[in-house]
Amino acid sequence: MPDFSPTQYAVPLFVVAIVIEMIWARLKRPESYEPMDTLVSLGFGLGSTISGALFGGLAAYVFIEAYEYRLFDLGEAWWAVWWAWPLAFVLDDFKYYWVHRAGHRIRWMWAAHVNHHSSQHYNLSTALRQTWTGNFTFGLLFAVPLVLLGFHPAMLAIVGGFNLIYQFWIHTEAIDRMPRWFEAVMNTPSHHRVHHATNPQYLDRNYAGVLIVWDKMFGTFEPERDDEVIRYGIVKQLGSFNIVWSVFHEWIGMVTDIWRAPWKYKLSYLLREPGWTHDGSRETSDMIRARWLSGAHRDGNSHLPSNLQQNAIAPSEEAA
Amino acid sequence: MDYAPLLLQSAGSLVAILALAALAWWLKLGGKTALTDEHDVARAAGEVDDGFEPARVSISRGGNAALARDASGRIMVIKHHGNKFVGRILTPSANVSEEVDALIVKSGSDTDSARFGVVRLSLEDPAYWADAINRL
């Protein structure tokens, strides 16, 4: 089994694709890029690679140890078991859905993942806006069950790499909609624009990596509306292009909250959803959505998602 | 661990990053946006805090910043950030000072406010806003 990292080979393609999108932006939508924002996003990408090389050892150690306790053994030549590859890809994508969902719903995880969302722009450079601090969360634990099933850590790293490559191209406004059958099954630019939006009805939706079916199965899918202008970024926009602040702002905020909170609330500031406070002084995404829903109801609910228009007060949305 | 490949890869990536950012500048991507009227301010304020409806606004000359106050007395400062606008609702720890032709507003005393930075506004009615902010 050669030492193979698909993302390394994809980097030149990323660069070419960004150049092509910039030319499209020059011709069609110059405002879709902002040079300083692009610089910061690409800086995130470089820092993430360096951070992964420096701090990824713990995850590798955990996976290799866990592999010793695997339930099923694909043999010495595990990489030659052809059917294991698509199975690993789908299961890894299922894992990605949950680790990504946790990345939005648990503040400790959000502290690392927020970096990917803190741009007010949505273009291919945003895709490379990856975390520097992911190794300081418990996200790696989501992959342990797959290792225990018998998938070699290297196999999971490779299919995870292809998953990441797939997600690159969906970070664009240059593509409106894909064919209907494709939109039904796969994550697409349209679905992922919703994920990056701060519009109340779009908050914490569409966590999928490659297959959008996970969101449809677990009640977190929201289609993009043509009559709703998307606002990108985070609820409290940074207002700064300082990359160090961009990397650590949520970690600083979380640690500050834990430090100041009464003892019985300290763990909640680590494990509850972003925006949660013990005194109700800030809003979670659920609270923002509920406030928006009540306002939309008052105004005649014309902007409500179609599945919520019949009952804006008691929407059938998931409670997570 | 052999760091040489990592250093080489990082150096190559850095060159590519700077080249792409330079290309974005050269292509004149981004551009400038300005707040021209109260509708622009209301839209920007609504994006900062969904549901914020300004009852009174003042736009800084040049349209790069604004102050907005809603019916409940909350005051929001909005500033230019790249080709977007960002804002903060001012807290009681907000700080305001007046210079010859400008109002200097700091949204609060925490780290976030420090990183958000001070906003310099050139207004028609600075005294009104200075007084309102000091009363928060």
Side-chain angles (χ1 to χ4, degrees):
Chain A
M1 180 70 193
D3 182 19
F4 176 62
S5 171
T7 44
Q8 280 187 340
Y9 288 95
V11 167
L13 294 176
F14 292 165
V15 173
V16 170
I18 290 173
V19 170
I20 292 170
E21 191 188 42
M22 281 184 179
I23 294 168
W24 166 84
R26 178 75 181 93
L27 298 172
K28 301 280 187 181
R29 292 193 54 192
E31 72 277 10
S32 65
Y33 268 87
E34 160 60 45
M36 275 302 291
D37 174 81
T38 303
L39 191 58
V40 172
S41 292
L42 297 176
F44 264 111
L46 174 58
S48 175
T49 304
I50 295 171
S51 171
L54 295 178
F55 303 115
L58 174 64
Y61 173 79
V62 169
F63 294 151
I64 289 167
E65 286 297 311
Y67 189 64
E68 296 302 313
Y69 299 94
R70 60 192 178 274
L71 290 173
F72 302 102
D73 190 5
L74 296 176
E76 290 271 314
W78 52 266
W79 47 269
V81 182
W82 70 267
W83 55 264
W85 288 97
L87 184 61
F89 185 88
V90 172
L91 291 177
D92 177 74
D93 192 51
F94 179 66
K95 180 269 300 183
Y96 179 86
Y97 170 84
W98 286 105
V99 74
H100 191 194
R101 185 164 167 170
H104 282 260
R105 303 297 298 180
I106 298 171
R107 197 176 180 194
W108 182 6
M109 301 280 284
W110 175 242
H113 183 60
V114 65
N115 302 162
H116 182 62
H117 286 270
S118 57
S119 170
Q120 288 179 267
H121 296 266
Y122 189 78
N123 53 50
L124 292 176
S125 76
T126 314
L128 305 181
R129 200 178 174 99
Q130 296 291 326
T131 182
W132 295 10
T133 56
N135 288 305
F136 299 97
T137 69
F138 58 89
L140 69 96
L141 297 180
F142 287 76
V144 170
L146 298 184
V147 179
L148 291 175
L149 268 178
F151 294 104
H152 193 279
M155 179 181 272
L156 293 174
I158 290 169
V159 296
F162 280 111
N163 193 307
L164 205 62
I165 291 168
Y166 178 88
Q167 290 187 50
F168 172 75
W169 76 278
I170 62 178
H171 290 82
T172 186
E173 293 184 296
I175 297 170
D176 181 20
R177 299 285 203 287
M178 298 299 288
R180 202 168 163 186
W181 66 267
F182 196 87
E183 293 280 348
V185 180
M186 306 295 286
N187 199 7
T188 63
S190 174
H191 298 326
H192 208 57
R193 284 193 288 269
V194 166
H195 178 67
H196 276 257
T198 62
N199 307 49
Q201 70 272 38
Y202 290 160
L203 289 173
D204 286 352
R205 290 293 183 261
N206 298 3
Y207 297 117
V210 173
L211 299 168
I212 197 67
V213 294
W214 307 126
D215 283 288
K216 294 182 176 180
M217 284 172 65
F218 298 109
T220 51
F221 177 69
E222 185 71 42
E224 182 184 29
R225 295 175 60 95
D226 291 328
D227 60 352
E228 181 76 15
V229 177
I230 289 185
R231 309 188 296 267
Y232 300 106
I234 52 180
V235 169
K236 194 174 184 182
Q237 308 285 9
L238 287 180
S240 168
F241 289 124
N242 183 316
I243 194 168
V244 177
W245 174 243
S246 301
V247 170
F248 296 108
H249 69 97
E250 188 64 23
W251 288 99
I252 292 168
M254 183 178 73
V255 170
T256 304
D257 284 341
I258 293 170
W259 179 260
R260 289 177 179 168
W263 275 101
K264 66 177 180 178
Y265 296 119
K266 287 187 187 295
L267 202 56
S268 294
Y269 279 102
L270 188 72
L271 299 177
R272 290 204 60 164
E273 65 270 38
W276 177 88
T277 54
H278 70 283
D279 57 3
S281 57
R282 293 179 222 143
E283 289 185 307
T284 65
S285 60
D286 294 332
M287 294 159 72
I288 293 169
R289 185 182 293 107
R291 182 160 56 81
W292 171 79
L293 282 168
S294 63
H297 181 74
R298 185 191 61 221
D299 299 339
N301 79 18
S302 61
H303 284 80
L304 289 179
S306 56
N307 62 320
L308 302 181
Q309 283 190 11
Q310 292 182 340
N311 188 351
I313 299 301
S316 59
E317 59 185 335
E318 56 105 25
Chain B
M1 181 177 177
D2 183 8
Y3 288 100
L6 179 63
L7 284 173
L8 195 63
Q9 183 188 350
S10 299
S13 297
L14 188 60
V15 170
I17 287 168
L18 294 174
L20 285 171
L23 180 64
W25 262 295
W26 184 70
L27 290 173
K28 295 183 171 56
L29 300 181
K32 292 290 179 191
T33 50
L35 299 166
T36 56
D37 56 31
E38 60 186 36
H39 298 294
D40 284 350
V41 177
R43 184 166 55 246
E47 289 178 6
V48 173
D49 186 72
D50 192 73
F52 190 99
E53 294 177 2
R56 174 169 180 152
V57 303
S58 284
I59 301 171
S60 182
R61 276 185 277 275
N64 65 325
L67 284 165
R69 187 177 191 176
D70 72 0
S72 65
R74 296 186 302 165
I75 298 175
M76 181 186 291
V77 62
I78 298 167
K79 73 165 187 174
H80 197 250
H81 177 61
N83 62 351
K84 302 284 184 181
F85 286 96
V86 292
R88 291 287 186 272
I89 292 178
L90 303 184
T91 66
S93 62
N95 184 276
V96 61
S97 58
E98 288 186 75
E99 290 186 359
V100 176
D101 190 34
L103 200 65
I104 315 296
V105 177
K106 188 180 174 189
S107 60
S109 58
D110 57 358
T111 312
D112 172 75
S113 300
R115 297 310 322 168
F116 185 78
V118 297
V119 183
R120 190 182 185 90
L121 301 108
S122 182
L123 304 171
E124 299 287 341
D125 49 356
Y128 168 82
W129 289 104
D131 184 54
I133 293 168
N134 283 326
R135 287 172 185 272
L136 285 172

